[in-house]
Amino acid sequence: MNGTLSRVTLNIPAFHECNISYLRNMATCMNAVARARCVALTALQPLGRRWSPRRRGAGVVPQRLWHGARSSLYEHVRGGYSDKPELDMTAVCEETDKVIANVESRKGDLRGDDVRKIVSVWQELRAVRTEISELEEEKRRISETVKALVLPEYTQALQKGRDIRSRLNRLYVVDTELDQEHYSRALRLPNATHPDVPVGDESQARVVEFVGQKAEFEFKPRGHVELGEELGLIRQRHLSHVSGHRSYYLRGAGARLQIALQNFALDTLQRRGFVPMVVPDMLKGVVFEGCGMQPNAQRSQVYSLDPARFPDLNLAGTGEVGVAGYFMDHAVNWKDLPVRTVCSSTCYRAETDTGRETWGLYRVHHFNKVEMFGVTADETGEESSQLLEEFVSLQKEMFSALELHYRVLDMPTQELGPPAYRKYDIEAWMPGRNSYGEISSASNCTDYQSRRLNILYEREDGSLQYAHTVNATACAVPRMVISILETHQTKDGTVRVPRALQPYLGLEVIEKPKYTPLKYIGPNQHSRPSRPGPKTR
């Protein structure tokens, strides 16, 4: 060697070159993994305000254990079936007090402390992701400069790379745990509330209008069960050992009345441009949760199939779930907006509040329903409100054609389901019950469902935007049967058929059938007829 070298270059034995190659390959692989993680992690909306992350040392990152409620939606996303929901956390963080007031004005167990915890977890998650991003950037710089390093600097870079990799591996674990906790908590938040919605319980519902006149009778009106039994339309007695409580049969003109009502609603809506659809009755829990329902809740209204044989399959309580599942993970072309869909399906509801309406068709476990569902744009912020008004107008048109007296209600905060921004109920006068009874509802869900189910629309320039969804009842058959039988009953026990329904039913008056009713011969009777003896040859 000639003289003293002030700088030792990396022209050293081959094993050092192998170490450099190893470090470069390791950095390249780590960068690829990091890029894949970043793609998955950037699905969350950034905070609307700057968050100064809490700096952590290079020590051990504490483990977090989250034992919250199971989220079918999060499990579905984690399995790679859909993208993560882009929950709008900007409003939650910037207007926390407003969000707390909204949450506490609604039903449910969510309270102000839960909202604050959601914000806290979100901010901690953002801090962890900021640190991950900084460390990955530092790792990238090391991989880019390693070629020019001299031996002492190379050794330091190798150790630095190891420290960063170790730190990132611990942070990735925390990130995953915080991500799960964030979604498990934040997915429980309800939609925002329209400023004109009344605050309080159902007694605070605002009457928008009354339509039609109450039916007047020269006799005491009878209830639908008595009428239905006399006319051979309805059977609810002696069914506990056949199909359980809150079940029923429709027979003869009763069965024909159901079909007539469904066809009347379907024809009315198809003439207005609605696309008919047949939907599944059984759906995965992710679709229910994306619609704002909780199939895994303790007192859920959702029937679940035996999980040992049919994992994560549930019976739909409304056609809304099936139609929403059709649009899940799809984009609608802007030229087709708004999309108006109508479906007729069988609905199943557990009706766990067994002390209410235990007899009759008002609250049953299964029924047929015609449902309207709309997907619309969000350019002006008014599109879904306009579609909601259109759906309510169509409901009024159909109920008026059936010659019913009803009232339209703007429902208060405690009567809004989690996805509803605003909801209108229509209640018909039911003379036999001597009260108004709900026959339909209509809800504007804005982007609540679309963000959870990835329902988007494609603008003319090719960009994607979250759609708004609106749903409304066109015909809930049992409630309509009650309304028609009790409103149009006559003194002689027959029922007059509304003119608009006559072409579908093929009758002007529902009369008592000519065949003899079945006679119950089961064990629970006062005077039991003699049974036939054994057959002899």
Side-chain angles (χ1 to χ4, degrees):
M1 299 178 68
N2 296 326
T4 302
L5 294 176
S6 60
R7 181 178 180 85
V8 181
T9 62
L10 205 59
N11 185 16
I12 53 181
F15 70 91
H16 281 142
E17 295 180 5
C18 291
N19 283 339
I20 294 173
S21 177
Y22 166 76
L23 180 61
R24 188 180 302 117
N25 291 337
M26 178 191 72
T28 302
C29 292
M30 290 177 68
N31 273 330
V33 172
R35 283 194 298 271
R37 276 192 76 82
C38 285
V39 169
L41 296 179
T42 51
L44 288 171
Q45 291 280 2
L47 285 176
R49 59 187 177 193
R50 298 185 65 86
W51 164 248
S52 178
R54 179 177 56 187
R55 298 297 303 173
R56 298 172 185 258
V60 177
V61 177
Q63 294 287 316
R64 298 179 63 93
L65 296 176
W66 165 243
H67 301 291
R70 170 175 168 254
S71 169
S72 298
L73 187 54
Y74 185 83
E75 292 174 4
H76 180 81
V77 167
R78 190 168 58 181
Y81 297 103
S82 297
D83 290 333
K84 283 185 181 178
E86 292 193 13
L87 305 182
D88 186 4
M89 292 301 297
T90 300
V92 179
C93 293
E94 292 184 347
E95 301 179 332
T96 304
D97 291 341
K98 184 177 179 180
V99 173
I100 289 173
N102 179 53
V103 162
E104 293 186 339
S105 72
R106 296 196 179 205
K107 282 183 179 177
D109 56 0
L110 212 59
R111 290 294 177 265
D113 287 344
D114 298 301
V115 177
R116 295 183 189 95
K117 183 63 177 178
I118 289 169
V119 173
S120 173
V121 171
W122 169 255
Q123 291 174 337
E124 191 171 355
L125 176 61
R126 295 299 298 171
V128 167
R129 290 181 177 174
T130 298
E131 186 172 358
I132 287 174
S133 178
E134 291 172 351
L135 288 172
E136 288 175 340
E137 174 62 23
E138 188 173 357
K139 176 167 60 62
R140 185 188 63 79
R141 288 197 302 267
I142 291 174
S143 68
E144 289 178 352
T145 58
V146 67
K147 295 179 181 179
L149 293 178
V150 296
L151 184 58
E153 294 171 339
Y154 160 75
T155 304
Q156 294 174 6
L158 181 63
Q159 183 58 47
K160 182 68 171 177
R162 288 170 178 164
D163 291 343
I164 290 175
R165 181 176 61 181
S166 176
R167 176 67 177 166
L168 282 172
N169 286 339
R170 292 193 295 271
L171 284 173
Y172 288 152
V173 173
V174 176
D175 174 89
T176 299
E177 293 170 350
L178 280 171
D179 187 63
Q180 180 175 358
E181 181 177 356
H182 164 67
Y183 274 108
S184 297
R185 292 180 182 276
L187 285 170
R188 297 168 60 207
L189 286 170
N191 200 349
T193 305
H194 190 284
D196 293 339
V197 167
V199 177
D201 59 19
E202 61 181 343
S203 66
Q204 301 303 310
R206 182 175 64 86
V207 178
V208 177
E209 63 176 320
F210 289 96
V211 179
Q213 301 295 322
K214 287 184 181 180
E216 296 183 358
F217 304 94
E218 297 176 352
F219 57 93
K220 182 179 179 181
R222 293 187 285 180
H224 68 282
V225 175
E226 182 182 353
L227 287 164
E229 289 179 339
E230 286 291 323
L231 295 171
L233 312 178
I234 301 170
R235 176 180 156 193
Q236 269 200 312
R237 300 181 190 278
H238 311 302
L239 293 183
S240 60
H241 65 300
V242 176
S243 51
H245 297 289
R246 296 184 185 273
S247 62
Y248 62 96
Y249 281 86
L250 297 179
R251 191 184 188 205
R256 291 170 62 185
L257 181 58
Q258 169 169 304
I259 297 168
L261 286 166
Q262 291 176 173
N263 289 337
F264 165 72
L266 288 168
D267 282 357
T268 300
L269 296 174
Q270 287 180 81
R271 287 195 298 267
R272 300 304 180 87
F274 281 72
V275 179
M277 184 178 291
V278 175
V279 300
D281 291 338
M282 297 182 294
L283 296 118
K284 297 283 189 178
V286 58
V287 189
F288 288 83
E289 192 171 339
C291 286
M293 306 168 193
Q294 298 295 330
N296 300 313
Q298 184 177 1
R299 293 181 62 82
S300 173
Q301 296 289 337
V302 178
Y303 282 112
S304 296
L305 275 64
D306 181 1
R309 297 183 59 199
F310 308 102
D312 194 31
L313 270 181
N314 310 275
L315 294 175
T318 171
E320 169 194 347
V321 184
V323 181
Y326 178 83
F327 288 99
M328 179 179 178
D329 292 323
H330 283 76
V332 178
N333 189 282
W334 68 275
K335 295 179 181 178
D336 299 323
L337 294 172
V339 177
R340 300 172 180 87
T341 299
V342 58
C343 77
S344 179
S345 65
T346 302
C347 306
Y348 305 87
R349 297 188 185 179
E351 295 294 355
T352 53
D353 189 358
T354 56
R356 299 176 62 190
E357 302 283 351
T358 57
W359 191 250
L361 302 186
Y362 193 81
R363 202 174 296 279
V364 290
H365 287 313
H366 68 93
F367 58 95
N368 281 44
K369 180 160 71 83
V370 179
E371 182 80 1
M372 296 181 273
F373 190 92
V375 177
T376 190
D378 178 26
E379 298 296 327
T380 67
E382 295 299 320
E383 292 92 343
S384 56
S385 294
Q386 293 168 3
L387 192 59
L388 176 67
E389 297 296 330
E390 177 188 323
F391 281 10
V392 173
S393 178
L394 288 167
Q395 290 174 324
K396 292 164 55 181
E397 177 185 326
M398 288 184 284
F399 301 152
S400 293
L402 295 174
E403 302 169 32
L404 302 176
H405 166 62
Y406 57 89
R407 63 184 183 183
V408 182
L409 303 175
D410 190 357
M411 299 307 290
T413 53
Q414 290 189 26
E415 293 300 306
L416 301 183
Y421 176 66
R422 192 172 199 176
K423 185 178 83 157
Y424 292 107
D425 279 2
I426 293 182
E427 296 182 343
W429 177 252
M430 300 176 177
R433 299 172 79 244
N434 195 34
S435 65
Y436 287 97
E438 179 190 340
I439 57 172
S440 74
S441 65
S443 298
N444 180 3
C445 299
T446 62
D447 62 355
Y448 186 92
Q449 295 175 334
S450 62
R451 284 183 176 273
R452 286 157 172 76
L453 296 176
N454 289 304
I455 301 174
L456 301 103
Y457 65 93
E458 185 178 16
R459 292 185 172 119
E460 192 171 8
D461 62 3
S463 62
L464 296 176
Q465 172 70 19
Y466 282 108
H468 280 198
T469 60
V470 179
N471 65 82
T473 311
C475 175
V477 170
R479 303 278 178 96
M480 296 305 296
V481 168
I482 295 173
S483 303
I484 287 172
L485 294 184
E486 295 187 1
T487 298
H488 301 305
Q489 62 180 295
T490 65
K491 188 174 183 178
D492 61 5
T494 62
V495 174
R496 181 180 59 83
V497 179
R499 185 178 298 275
L501 204 58
Q502 291 176 11
Y504 296 93
L505 189 59
L507 297 171
E508 295 182 2
V509 177
I510 300 175
E511 299 177 311
K512 190 172 183 178
K514 293 181 172 56
Y515 51 77
T516 304
L518 296 177
K519 183 176 183 179
Y520 180 65
I521 57 172
N524 299 320
Q525 54 183 328
H526 297 296
S527 57
R528 186 176 181 183
S530 59
R531 306 291 295 179
K535 185 175 182 180
T536 58
R537 294 185 179 178

